[in-house]
Amino acid sequence: MTTDRILPVAAMSLAILVLWYAGALWLNGPQAVEALNRLGDGWGTADFVRQAFAMKRPILPTPDQVAVELFQSLTGTPVTHIRNLLYHTGVTAGSALTGFAMGVVLGVVLAVGIVQVRTLEASLLPWVIASQTVPILAIAPMIVVILGNMGFTGLLPKAIISMYLCFFPITIGMVKGLRSADPLALDLMRTYSAGTGQTFRLLRLPSSLPFLFASLKVAVAASVVGAIVGELPTGGQAGLGARLLSGSYYGQTVQIWSALVMAALLGVALVAAVGVAERALVRSGPGGGR
Amino acid sequence: MIGVASRQPRPAMAPGPLVALLAPLLPLGGVAGHSVGFVDSPVAVAGLVLLVGTLLLRRLAVGALSEAVILSVGVAAGYGATLRLLADGLAPDAGLWLLLLGATLLLGRVLRLLAEVSGPARHACPALFGLAILLLWEILTRGLQVPAILLPPPSAIAAAFATNAADLWDDFRQTVLISVLRGYLLGCGAGFAVAILADRVPFLARGLLPLGNLASAIPVVGVAPIMVMWFGFDWQSKAAVIVVMTFFPMLINTLAGLASAERIQLDLMRSYAAGYWRSLLLLRLPCALPFLFNGLKINSTLALIGAIVAEFFGTPVVGMGFRISTQVARMNLDVVWASITVAALTGSLLYGALALAERRVTAWHPSFRKR
Amino acid sequence: MPAAPSPSLPPALTAVPPPAPFAEPGAEPGRTIVDVRNLTLTYQAADHPVYALSDVSLSIAQGDFISLIGPSGCGKTTLMRVIADLEQPTGGTVLVNGMTPEQARLKRAYGYVFQAPALYPWRTVERNVTLPLEIMGIPRGERQTRAREQLERVGLAGFERKFPWQLSGGMQQRVSIARALAFNPDLLLMDEPFGALDEITRDHLNLQLTQLWRRTRKTCVFVTHSIAEAVFLSTRIVVMSPRPGRILDVIDCARDLPPERTLDIRESPEFQRIAHRVREGLMEGHSYDD
């Protein structure tokens, strides 16, 4: 199975790298020509390629430029320093995880309420679903400003945006999961005359876990998006979003790309962490998922 | 099941709403510094009498639905009287809050009754709930005099909506009709086309699928500043962000959909010696429709988000994202809320239209069919 | 890839041999429709080779109704799938109408009825039956006439506009038989078509099927688990055995049972005798390694 996949994925990655360098050549080409002309007439193809791949402010930086920048910004200064990218990643991860935790609590509470109380199911669930169709990120700047007016700055506003993005998939997945208990198993609980609480703890909760973890993976990825977007309106203080914004203000493309790569790594790492937790907690074996 | 439930005995009435009866004992509020007693205000008394009256009248009701209708008159009376008094400039006190509490508890009863009802009346449940949230929002922001900077009342938002209608329409046209629509069509179209290609070339599919799954863990919206840098401030950069965001969800859903035809149905096509394109058209695409719609629905929300966030990074001076970020900076939160309302309505309408189309096209699917 | 329909109608559609009215199917030798010689199919499982079919030879004549019976894993379905070119043999030859299975499939020489109805839920009953005709490029008007004709033949006139899910399981399977008959193939391959139905429905459909066969004199190959079904329907019964999949016995029923059969012949001593012999054969196959 895995050896089946390695070759295509490797080929695809190689294709992307080639396309990336070709794109860099194409996009940075005009600037490179200009720069070389300023230096003098006698330049050949090799000079052109070298110039296009080593621009100071390229339109598309090459992967090696991004890697070098990434390495320097991770090791050039101490981790706690404002110029260290890991510091910014930590800031984003902190608010993403805080928001994620809040979103998990809110999502699970809503799901339990919806499953246990019919009135909530009929009146609230449609609005929870409708909330998904709203481009929630649009209110991100406003939440930051409102909470700033109330004296909350820093982590909390961003965490609230992350929470907002998180709770929906969790609620929906958890409602589905809590309802996924086998009707026969539910009947069995009834023959034991188990109470609502016992049925919930012994049957509904365990059978909802695979659904919960599937949603948690979606939610944790969303929480990173929320934290990054929440950092945009603060005007570039700290965090990966702030790095994106300041990079775009000052035309520092290499900085933008390294922040992007870091954000991608953060997202992948968090999703992988949820996966590890799932493997540790859900013992139903393969196929226990959706 | 639901039909049976409506014929079951209705849930017992909790005495909660009766707290409103205590309201006349307490001061209603103050107008221009003078305290007003509850019984001095005909509006408050009328509201209370109607509310309590419906509590008595409910015994006439034959079913859950008719009781809900009767009681909702009482709820309306309570909310209406409160809104009226607030509009007259009353600074509310305990009496008014008790009346409101009674009406809200009564609303809980109405919702509980409606939750048991079958048929189209069930949709009244979320509608009433939404309306009540809106009214409570209005009453609480006005009654507690919440600063408009924090949360303007819905009426102020509606007023801002009306006065800024021209701007909001221009924003809508720029963001939705131009950027979102083009980006969405391009992104979904590209995802679909590449999925068909990958379906023909399995090597490509095996390489693309892990990449697509990876993309779902990545905050793709971060490419916005790069796209703005590459494609400029106008719609092209927004469309580019949307294409990047929507491509992989569509690709993955299409591939999953094309793989969803059952083995036995594929064998049937083979026994008819049907070629690739014919079995694609006659069997595999119809099977994939629910997956395609799933991708289209996810992408409709993503596309709006992509456009608005990309506008935070730079626009011509029009667009929903531009409006929101500039008006937030100027503390015109009513305009921001009006803009958000437009975004919310757009998102819901897009999603609703797709859901409706899905219901039409895939009426045969087990999730929709009824005998 | 024969994606485009051939301009002229396939021979099966134009030249249907008119069945001799009261011919004894067993007595009349007829031309050979399916000729299987020394067929072997081996595939590699996780650690050992599996002999799905081992040196199987069988000849099926025009107008025969052949039942393949045996326990799971005896290769009866595999044999039929090889005849239908849905599976590739590793050794031996198969000829269908004197052609390779692939040529026969491309000429649409056979209709296949699967274990499940495999109807398309998004098409009406009638449009399900016209599906093969559509693929074969038959004009719309004729498609409809033929579909109506076949639906009437299986007793489903009046259900044309219904959707498959509005029909019972037995009715759905009848639609799939009508679909297989719609393009008038020489050969009808049926893979446990009534396996999922209850016994009463099954009896009913067996009766309908034997009447249908008597009227049309199609050559039928029928895979089943049920001894009674096999004896009731067949002119010849092929008893198979697993590990390796092979033919143990071929029993002629046409000699002892009348061609016109009603459900009560199941009580007759001839019927019982044949059923007994089939059972003996099956037991012998089982004792081989159990």
Side-chain angles (χ1 to χ4, degrees):
Chain A
M1 279 309 268
T2 44
T3 45
D4 251 30
R5 283 203 192 149
I6 289 170
L7 189 63
V9 171
M12 199 58 66
S13 312
L14 193 68
I16 288 174
L17 271 184
V18 169
L19 277 178
W20 193 333
Y21 276 106
L25 208 57
W26 183 54
L27 284 167
N28 303 335
Q31 275 187 38
V33 169
E34 211 173 281
L36 287 169
N37 278 339
R38 236 177 289 137
L39 289 174
D41 283 338
W43 51 272
T45 317
D47 296 318
F48 169 70
V49 171
R50 210 173 306 126
Q51 181 71 24
F53 285 167
M55 309 278 300
K56 205 147 176 93
R57 287 184 180 183
I59 295 182
L60 175 60
T62 57
D64 57 271
Q65 276 180 304
V66 175
V68 167
E69 157 82 14
L70 212 52
F71 182 74
Q72 280 172 356
S73 61
L74 288 178
T75 58
T77 47
V79 173
T80 48
H81 196 273
I82 186 89
R83 290 184 59 187
N84 190 307
L85 193 57
L86 215 52
Y87 166 76
H88 293 283
T89 313
V91 168
T92 302
S95 41
L97 284 176
T98 313
F100 176 65
M102 284 155 57
V104 170
V105 172
L106 179 66
V108 170
V109 165
L110 276 181
V112 172
I114 283 169
V115 169
Q116 298 286 341
V117 185
R118 257 190 76 75
T119 311
L120 279 185
E121 183 199 344
S123 52
L124 188 59
L125 190 58
W127 288 104
V128 173
I129 293 171
S131 82
Q132 188 209 21
T133 67
V134 175
I136 280 312
L137 284 180
I139 66 171
M142 199 184 54
I143 290 181
V144 172
V145 168
I146 289 178
L147 290 174
N149 276 325
M150 291 167 73
F152 296 111
T153 47
L155 185 131
L156 191 71
K158 294 186 280 174
I160 284 183
I161 294 163
S162 290
M163 177 194 79
Y164 218 119
L165 286 180
C166 275
F167 90 93
F168 172 79
I170 295 174
T171 304
I172 295 299
M174 193 73 180
V175 165
K176 216 189 236 170
L178 288 174
R179 289 208 182 123
S180 73
D182 181 7
L184 284 179
L186 278 171
D187 283 347
L188 187 69
M189 286 310 238
R190 206 163 300 138
T191 66
Y192 299 153
S193 71
T196 313
Q198 285 172 315
T199 309
F200 191 84
R201 188 166 47 86
L202 293 173
L203 179 59
R204 286 193 187 270
L205 208 57
S207 51
S208 77
L209 281 185
F211 291 85
L212 177 65
F213 275 102
S215 321
L216 286 183
K217 284 181 199 158
V218 177
V220 83
S223 77
V224 178
V225 175
I228 288 176
V229 174
E231 281 157 0
L232 298 180
T234 56
Q237 291 157 6
L240 292 173
R243 295 285 284 185
L244 286 179
L245 197 68
S246 69
S248 97
Y249 275 163
Y250 303 115
Q252 296 287 355
T253 37
V254 189
Q255 180 189 326
I256 297 181
W257 278 94
S258 53
L260 257 182
V261 170
M262 224 40 216
L265 288 178
L266 179 63
V268 171
L270 290 181
V271 172
V274 174
V276 170
E278 176 179 21
R279 235 160 289 149
L281 281 171
V282 183
R283 276 152 296 173
S284 60
R290 278 148 282 180
Chain B
M1 277 187 303
I2 300 156
V4 176
S6 70
R7 256 168 270 127
Q8 278 172 353
R10 280 169 267 155
M13 179 88 195
L18 292 178
V19 293
L21 284 175
L22 297 176
L25 306 177
L26 296 163
L28 183 66
V31 178
H34 299 286
S35 180
V36 181
F38 197 97
V39 285
D40 298 338
S41 160
V43 177
V45 172
L48 181 65
V49 168
L50 265 175
L51 196 156
V52 177
T54 56
L55 277 176
L56 299 173
L57 277 176
R58 80 184 181 91
R59 299 192 181 285
L60 297 179
V62 284
L65 185 58
S66 52
E67 185 181 337
V69 170
I70 291 175
L71 291 183
S72 55
V73 173
V75 178
Y79 279 27
T82 311
L83 277 170
R84 185 67 230 260
L85 289 168
L86 287 175
D88 288 345
L90 184 88
D93 206 339
L96 192 60
W97 291 131
L98 262 188
L99 181 65
L100 187 66
L101 180 66
T104 307
L105 289 173
L106 193 60
L107 176 77
R109 164 90 184 163
V110 172
L111 293 178
R112 212 171 137 202
L113 287 168
L114 284 177
E116 305 293 331
V117 167
S118 60
R122 251 178 89 80
H123 297 297
C125 203
L128 271 185
F129 184 80
L131 188 65
I133 294 287
L134 217 58
L135 289 177
L136 279 175
W137 175 359
E138 177 82 29
I139 290 169
L140 292 178
T141 46
R142 282 188 183 279
L144 299 174
Q145 293 179 330
V146 177
I149 291 286
L150 291 189
L151 189 64
S155 56
I157 296 170
F161 197 101
T163 45
N164 294 285
D167 277 351
L168 292 177
W169 167 251
D170 286 345
D171 295 344
F172 176 81
R173 224 180 44 141
Q174 170 72 19
T175 303
V176 179
L177 298 185
I178 298 178
S179 310
V180 168
L181 217 57
R182 293 179 188 178
Y184 181 72
L185 292 178
L186 276 173
C188 292
F192 180 79
V194 172
I196 298 280
L197 191 70
D199 182 58
R200 288 239 72 175
V201 189
F203 187 81
L204 195 62
R206 281 205 297 275
L208 276 172
L209 261 180
L211 222 66
N213 288 326
L214 199 69
S216 68
I218 291 176
V220 184
V221 74
V223 299
I226 294 163
M227 293 302 159
V228 171
M229 209 171 276
W230 285 1
F231 296 102
F233 280 179
D234 210 350
W235 67 270
Q236 291 89 341
S237 60
K238 318 305 177 278
V241 174
I242 296 170
V243 168
V244 176
M245 284 178 82
T246 55
F247 175 78
F248 277 112
M250 196 63 194
L251 175 80
I252 286 184
N253 273 290
T254 310
L255 280 177
L258 289 177
S260 74
E262 281 170 43
R263 169 79 190 276
I264 204 170
Q265 292 175 322
L266 291 168
D267 278 348
L268 185 73
M269 287 316 252
R270 187 174 155 82
S271 83
Y272 295 150
Y276 173 83
W277 291 107
R278 212 182 263 276
S279 68
L280 185 73
L281 215 65
L282 285 176
L283 170 63
R284 299 175 64 219
L285 276 182
C287 276
L289 274 176
F291 292 82
L292 293 183
F293 272 106
N294 189 35
L296 288 175
K297 285 198 283 193
I298 293 172
N299 279 346
S300 74
T301 319
L302 284 181
L304 264 180
I305 289 178
I308 290 174
V309 172
E311 284 175 352
F312 291 162
F313 284 95
T315 43
V317 289
V318 62
M320 276 147 61
F322 166 79
R323 189 76 49 205
I324 290 170
S325 53
T326 51
Q327 298 296 332
V328 159
R330 288 185 205 149
M331 292 291 162
N332 290 332
L333 284 200
D334 47 355
V335 182
V336 175
W337 276 99
S339 216
I340 287 170
T341 311
V342 175
L345 283 177
T346 309
S348 307
L349 285 179
L350 273 180
Y351 194 91
L354 283 168
L356 211 67
E358 177 180 24
R359 199 171 271 262
R360 276 268 161 114
V361 177
T362 64
W364 49 269
H365 195 261
S367 55
F368 295 121
R369 69 171 70 146
K370 31 187 180 287
R371 270 179 194 262
Chain C
M1 285 273 100
S6 54
S8 63
L9 296 181
L13 294 173
T14 46
V16 186
F22 296 104
E24 289 275 316
E28 177 196 279
R31 70 193 169 92
T32 302
I33 297 285
V34 180
D35 192 23
V36 177
R37 281 201 195 166
N38 310 106
L39 194 67
T40 304
L41 197 153
T42 321
Y43 59 91
Q44 192 62 40
D47 49 353
H48 56 95
V50 173
Y51 302 97
L53 290 172
S54 166
D55 199 26
V56 168
S57 296
L58 181 69
S59 168
I60 300 171
Q62 165 77 48
D64 256 353
F65 195 117
I66 303 284
S67 283
L68 307 177
I69 192 168
S72 334
C74 71
K76 53 193 191 300
T77 295
T78 310
L79 174 57
M80 194 144 90
R81 290 176 64 87
V82 170
I83 295 172
D85 189 38
L86 298 175
E87 208 97 50
Q88 296 303 318
T90 42
T93 54
V94 177
L95 291 179
V96 178
N97 276 342
M99 297 174 281
T100 66
E102 189 186 3
Q103 288 166 334
R105 178 172 65 84
L106 297 182
K107 291 224 155 142
R108 283 108 182 195
Y110 65 86
Y112 204 109
V113 180
F114 292 90
Q115 276 158 328
L119 300 174
Y120 292 1
W122 55 88
R123 287 176 160 245
T124 58
V125 164
E126 181 180 297
R127 293 200 60 229
N128 262 290
V129 178
T130 57
L131 175 74
L133 305 176
E134 204 176 316
I135 292 171
M136 291 161 201
I138 288 166
R140 184 182 295 272
E142 193 184 341
R143 289 205 300 251
Q144 196 176 19
T145 325
R146 283 213 214 168
R148 299 251 151 126
E149 209 175 287
Q150 298 306 333
L151 281 171
E152 200 178 326
R153 193 173 255 180
V154 297
L156 283 176
F159 288 89
E160 292 86 357
R161 300 253 159 272
K162 295 269 188 226
F163 281 91
W165 74 82
Q166 297 169 309
L167 268 52
S168 70
M171 288 159 103
Q172 289 185 20
Q173 199 53 282
R174 268 143 72 195
V175 176
S176 88
I177 292 172
R179 181 180 58 189
L181 291 171
F183 58 100
N184 205 5
D186 287 344
L187 178 62
L188 209 51
L189 304 174
M190 287 180 273
D191 184 4
E192 288 188 54
F194 310 138
L197 304 176
D198 64 84
E199 196 166 347
I200 299 167
T201 314
R202 195 178 182 143
D203 282 351
H204 182 64
L205 291 183
N206 277 338
L207 196 60
Q208 280 197 331
L209 181 60
T210 189
Q211 285 163 358
L212 194 72
W213 171 74
R214 208 154 16 83
R215 274 203 308 275
T216 59
R217 278 298 143 88
K218 296 269 178 231
T219 311
C220 292
V221 184
F222 191 92
V223 167
T224 181
H225 268 124
S226 156
I227 296 174
E229 191 171 68
V231 180
F232 179 72
L233 291 170
S234 312
T235 57
R236 278 194 298 158
I237 300 173
V238 177
V239 181
M240 298 181 70
S241 154
R243 288 176 296 265
R246 65 200 187 283
I247 294 179
L248 283 184
D249 194 5
V250 178
I251 303 164
D252 198 329
C253 310
R255 225 176 20 214
D256 299 325
L257 293 175
E260 197 158 328
R261 297 175 191 179
T262 54
L263 286 174
D264 23 285
I265 67 154
R266 293 187 300 190
E267 320 293 331
S268 68
E270 292 80 16
F271 189 98
Q272 297 294 340
R273 198 176 46 73
I274 298 171
H276 180 74
R277 191 172 151 196
V278 174
R279 197 170 297 117
E280 293 276 282
L282 290 176
M283 302 239 300
E284 183 192 330
H286 254 285
S287 60
Y288 193 77
D289 62 351
D290 283 349

